[in-house]
Amino acid sequence: MKIALVGNPNVGKSTVFNALTGSNQQVGNWAGKTVERKSGIIRRDNREIELIDLPGTYSLTAYTQEEIVTREYILREKPDVVMALVDASNIERNLYLVLQILELAPRVVIGLNMMDLARSGGITIDTAELAKALNVTAVEIVAAKGIGIEDFLTEAIKIGSLPNDPLTSEVPYPDELEQKIRAMEDLLKKTSWASRYPLRWLALKRLERDPEVGQEWKAVAPSKPLLPTSRESCCDSGDALKYELREASELPGEDLLLAYEKEGWTKDHFEMAFADAKYSYISRILPKFMTQEALKRPSRTDSLDRWILSPVWGYPIMILILALVFWASFIASAPLGDAVSQGMAWVADLLVNALQLIHAPDFLTSLIRDGIFAGVGAVLAFVPQIAIFFAFFSFLQDSGYLARAAFLGDRMMQLMGLHGKSFFSLVSSFGCNVPGIMATRTLEDPKDRLVTILLNPLIPCVPRLGVMSAVVAAFFPGTRGAIAMLSLMFISMLLVMFSALLMRKVVNQKERSAFVMELPLYHLPTLRNVLWPTWHKTYTFLKRAWTFILAASIVVWVLSSFPQGVPMESTWAGKMGGLLSFIGRPLGFDWRIMVAVVFGFTAKETTLSTLGILYGVAADASQSIAQAMTGAMSPLRAYTFLVVYMLYIPCLASVVTTHKESASLRWTGFGVAYNLVLSFVVGWIVFHAGLALGFQ
């Protein structure tokens, strides 16, 4: 059985999906789209069910990729049943999508989520009357508390198992519209299209001159199973079902459409008339199942928004919240990071002692201590920082605050020529640039997306901030360190603003898209909704640390250890650094820094592990690595290194993600080149300005 989960954004689809599928999920992209594909396997009563979480959308027109993906899946994959999740506290607007779904799929179950918030807002919904009005099954849910989710699934399985499609109520359109719809139906019912799609829906879309209607598609099976039952993995779009466009046969009705146009019934006229009819129908049936009492006092959301969205208090509150997030991520987590480093050092000593007892070769002991544990151990010290940051981010997103922050950030974004939703992406990048780049999917305009994608690498991620804080603490102790860190962040923000204005001209972005975003009701996230995405992101980082970064650490150790018996400058790594020294010399960099910069391209985390190996620091706290650098470079050179490190080429994973999201090798190459040139130019300016001011 195939079940599709559909709903507006922010109605709790992810909560329901995660509760039903658990860890048995697959995440990737829909074929040919930059929209996330989430699917999972559920087993009930020895039956395997495929649950597809379709993108959140407000309608099923063909204007955004989310709308197209959701509609195409229902039309072409024909799921056995559609689970339509509705926000009970905002049911009038949510039912518009439900009516569109009912025109596509006869087997639908409505899940009324957030019933607790609806009741607190004075809203009473008679579920039985709602089911009767639309002739569908409806279930009450409070997904955040796990209430009603299993009942929702049970009803969906029951409806999906029926031998015949149930009869659903149709939206009654005005007489003039009904005549035109029936005339188009008469022309279409004789074609093969009528056997593939619901006839009434096909007539509506033909009258709207929908660009997707009239194309013939041939399904192409994927080379691998759609839903492996293994643990969650990230797949490319090649794993998803694809369609190839064939030569389309001409649809009838063109003469009829031309006649309607002469009467003033254009494409836009039909679209507006159908939408008005649906909302009029909702308004008529709403009193049958919903009543709303006047509240004696403002709701909790209204009371909070009076302060949080205030043009006076909103920004100080946002700065305070972000400051708390960064303080907890980088200051409060420091003891945990030190504990991880000391634990790794203890394990390294234990292994080294064991190897010495069995008289293992010296190179093997050095590989374990100076390669693997010095490299990976330095990186694992960042795990507490990453976990705490993503926990805060998940909490703010699920509580409803992050949407408000984007609303407030819209004013700043507009000054830079960016869309307000770019704020989501840029804030996400403080955790990791990869999800930050993927967060640009919320931007509808392709040029807005491209500009935001190209700006993302200028935001320092958690690994970069961790390395920066360690180096700053060694070279600029006390208050000077706070000033140095703030100045680096100021440089980053200044360059983001400058680059935003430049990128708009480069991509020829002349018009600014309107910022429209639904502000969800505030609610306290459940522990599961915070910990699950935090664990997923942290697990992904750990997986990289034990595979990719482990391999990189071993490579750096080999390059810095061979030929054996020679000074470090004469090893392969030293020779590589010597070849690159002409680039680093104008900025005051030694060969070690240049090698670390090169390996930092693979993953920013490897910069610290590389420095730990090249400066001869065995598995120890990251602070000692930075301290080892103090004997090799001056504070001015260290600050210049931090500027270059903060701005230069994003990590390999970010480059790959940029290519996937932009679907352009040319723009990906431009972004890499821009970051590289900008970092060294700004670094050169900082270094020589410092020399001119008498700093060393």
Side-chain angles (χ1 to χ4, degrees):
M1 179 178 288
K2 286 192 297 187
I3 298 178
L5 182 60
V6 186
N8 289 175
N10 300 314
V11 296
K13 281 196 307 96
S14 295
T15 303
V16 172
F17 180 78
N18 290 334
L20 290 174
T21 59
S23 61
N24 194 16
Q25 301 175 8
Q26 185 185 37
V27 181
N29 278 10
W30 291 88
K33 301 286 191 299
T34 57
V35 177
E36 189 174 72
R37 173 192 175 94
K38 291 172 68 178
S39 49
I41 291 292
I42 307 170
R43 289 178 177 84
R44 294 292 186 275
D45 299 326
N46 297 319
R47 187 173 192 173
E48 190 172 271
I49 300 163
E50 176 187 346
L51 181 65
I52 305 294
D53 183 12
L54 293 172
T57 179
Y58 293 107
S59 69
L60 296 180
T61 53
Y63 291 116
T64 69
Q65 291 195 17
E66 288 81 5
E67 293 171 349
I68 293 171
V69 163
T70 300
R71 196 174 76 176
E72 282 186 357
Y73 184 84
I74 296 174
L75 279 173
R76 297 186 177 121
E77 294 298 315
K78 296 187 181 349
D80 296 286
V81 62
V82 175
M83 296 170 71
L85 200 62
V86 169
D87 178 1
S89 64
N90 199 359
I91 191 169
E92 184 172 5
R93 184 183 48 72
N94 280 230
L95 284 180
Y96 181 79
L97 177 63
V98 173
L99 293 181
Q100 289 187 315
I101 294 170
L102 287 171
E103 291 175 338
L104 285 179
R107 300 176 186 236
V108 177
V109 178
I110 296 176
L112 290 169
N113 193 23
M114 306 184 195
M115 286 296 292
D116 53 340
L117 297 179
R119 293 188 189 103
S120 66
I123 298 172
T124 302
I125 297 176
D126 188 328
T127 310
E129 286 297 321
L130 168 63
K132 184 179 177 182
L134 296 177
N135 201 25
V136 295
T137 304
V139 180
E140 294 187 5
I141 298 173
V142 182
K145 299 178 182 177
I147 299 173
I149 294 177
E150 277 297 326
D151 294 336
F152 192 23
L153 177 64
T154 300
E155 289 298 329
I157 295 173
K158 189 186 299 182
I159 296 298
S161 303
L162 293 175
N164 299 309
D165 291 338
L167 294 174
T168 56
S169 58
E170 292 183 346
V171 176
Y173 293 101
D175 292 341
E176 186 180 5
L177 271 179
E178 282 289 353
Q179 290 175 7
K180 290 176 169 51
I181 293 169
R182 287 170 188 157
M184 184 60 74
E185 284 179 348
D186 290 338
L187 290 173
L188 292 171
K189 67 173 56 173
K190 302 171 185 177
T191 68
S192 61
W193 294 91
S195 62
R196 295 202 295 265
Y197 303 115
L199 181 59
R200 188 173 177 83
W201 176 86
L202 191 63
L204 295 174
K205 293 297 132 183
R206 187 72 179 112
L207 290 170
E208 291 177 354
R209 289 188 177 272
D210 191 294
E212 294 291 309
V213 175
Q215 296 178 340
E216 292 185 358
W217 297 78
K218 179 182 178 183
V220 180
S223 57
K224 291 187 268 184
L226 275 179
L227 292 167
T229 56
S230 60
R231 191 169 155 68
E232 182 176 14
S233 60
C234 191
C235 61
D236 58 25
S237 59
D239 292 338
L241 193 63
K242 297 181 179 179
Y243 291 94
E244 289 181 354
L245 186 64
R246 298 190 307 184
E247 185 177 347
S249 57
E250 185 179 351
L251 274 173
E254 193 64 32
D255 293 339
L256 188 61
L257 287 173
L258 290 174
Y260 288 156
E261 282 187 12
K262 291 178 181 178
E263 298 175 14
W265 286 86
T266 62
K267 170 186 181 298
D268 294 337
H269 197 160
F270 274 115
E271 284 185 359
M272 292 300 297
F274 292 146
D276 286 343
K278 285 185 174 70
Y279 276 114
S280 297
Y281 179 61
I282 293 170
S283 298
R284 287 201 303 274
I285 65 173
L286 207 61
K288 295 180 180 178
F289 56 81
M290 190 194 88
T291 57
Q292 183 166 10
E293 299 176 7
L295 296 177
K296 296 179 181 179
R297 58 180 182 176
S299 66
R300 180 176 58 182
T301 294
D302 291 336
S303 299
L304 287 172
D305 278 345
R306 192 172 299 169
W307 293 89
I308 288 174
L309 295 181
S310 165
V312 176
W313 297 105
Y315 293 101
I317 291 172
M318 181 174 69
I319 292 170
L320 187 64
I321 290 174
L322 293 178
L324 174 64
V325 172
F326 289 121
W327 176 84
S329 300
F330 304 114
I331 307 299
S333 68
L336 294 174
D338 292 341
V340 172
S341 294
Q342 291 167 6
M344 293 294 292
W346 179 79
V347 173
D349 289 339
L350 203 65
L351 285 175
V352 167
N353 291 335
L355 290 172
Q356 289 174 344
L357 284 175
I358 62 173
H359 304 290
D362 291 341
F363 81 88
L364 183 59
T365 303
S366 177
L367 172 63
I368 297 295
R369 183 186 61 232
D370 305 323
I372 295 173
F373 279 89
V376 178
V379 173
L380 290 182
F382 294 131
V383 171
Q385 293 181 359
I386 290 173
I388 290 174
F389 179 87
F390 282 127
F392 269 98
F393 190 82
S394 298
F395 180 89
L396 293 175
Q397 188 172 36
D398 201 50
S399 67
Y401 176 75
L402 213 55
R404 272 82 180 173
F407 176 80
L408 291 170
D410 179 57
R411 295 178 186 175
M412 294 182 290
M413 297 295 103
Q414 290 291 346
L415 290 175
M416 296 184 281
L418 297 176
H419 194 280
K421 291 182 182 178
S422 298
F423 187 82
F424 269 128
S425 171
L426 298 180
V427 171
S428 300
S429 289
F430 279 108
C432 177
N433 292 121
V434 171
I437 293 169
M438 294 174 70
T440 59
R441 295 172 179 179
T442 59
L443 295 159
E444 289 82 7
D445 188 279
K447 290 186 177 179
D448 282 336
R449 291 192 69 234
L450 181 58
V451 170
T452 309
I453 286 171
L454 295 174
L455 290 175
N456 250 279
L458 296 177
I459 302 294
C461 57
V462 164
R464 276 191 276 183
L465 288 170
V467 173
M468 290 161 62
S469 61
V471 176
V472 164
F475 283 92
F476 309 100
T479 307
R480 288 193 301 152
I483 296 172
M485 202 69 182
L486 285 173
S487 66
L488 288 166
M489 298 302 295
F490 177 75
I491 290 173
S492 173
M493 295 301 103
L494 198 64
L495 290 173
V496 167
M497 289 188 285
F498 164 78
S499 300
L501 297 172
L502 178 64
M503 294 297 181
R504 284 190 68 236
K505 294 184 178 180
V506 171
V507 303
N508 196 27
Q509 174 66 307
K510 296 178 180 178
E511 296 182 2
R512 297 184 182 182
S513 303
F515 178 57
V516 180
M517 172 174 281
E518 179 187 6
L519 298 180
L521 297 176
Y522 290 108
H523 66 277
L524 191 65
T526 62
L527 200 60
R528 177 189 176 90
N529 286 353
V530 173
L531 295 182
W532 178 252
T534 301
W535 160 246
H536 170 59
K537 293 180 175 69
T538 307
Y539 170 78
T540 302
F541 176 82
L542 285 168
K543 190 165 64 173
R544 286 177 63 192
W546 286 110
T547 53
F548 187 79
I549 297 171
L550 173 63
S553 298
I554 293 173
V555 170
V556 173
W557 176 83
V558 170
L559 292 175
S560 62
S561 300
F562 292 91
Q564 291 186 316
V566 299
M568 183 76 79
E569 291 82 351
S570 300
T571 60
W572 294 332
K575 291 177 181 178
M576 178 195 297
L579 292 173
L580 298 171
S581 61
F582 75 96
I583 300 175
R585 196 175 299 118
L587 287 80
F589 294 168
D590 68 1
W591 66 271
R592 292 178 180 86
I593 296 295
M594 292 308 300
V595 172
V597 166
V598 170
F599 276 91
F601 170 65
T602 56
K604 293 301 182 188
E605 304 92 323
T606 61
T607 304
L608 197 60
S609 62
T610 303
L611 291 172
I613 295 169
L614 295 179
Y615 281 103
V617 179
D620 202 345
S622 60
Q623 183 73 6
S624 64
I625 296 172
Q627 287 175 341
M629 296 172 62
T630 59
M633 60 197 314
S634 67
L636 176 60
R637 286 172 169 78
Y639 189 83
T640 305
F641 161 71
L642 290 171
V643 171
V644 173
Y645 175 75
M646 179 177 66
L647 301 173
Y648 88 110
I649 312 178
C651 66
L652 182 61
S654 296
V655 173
V656 172
T657 307
T658 297
H659 180 252
K660 283 188 175 182
E661 297 299 314
S662 66
S664 169
L665 191 60
R666 180 171 65 91
W667 283 115
T668 303
F670 171 80
V672 169
Y674 179 78
N675 283 105
L676 187 61
V677 172
L678 182 69
S679 63
F680 278 90
V681 168
V682 174
W684 184 89
I685 292 171
V686 167
F687 180 65
H688 287 276
L691 290 177
L693 293 172
F695 294 105
Q696 295 297 323

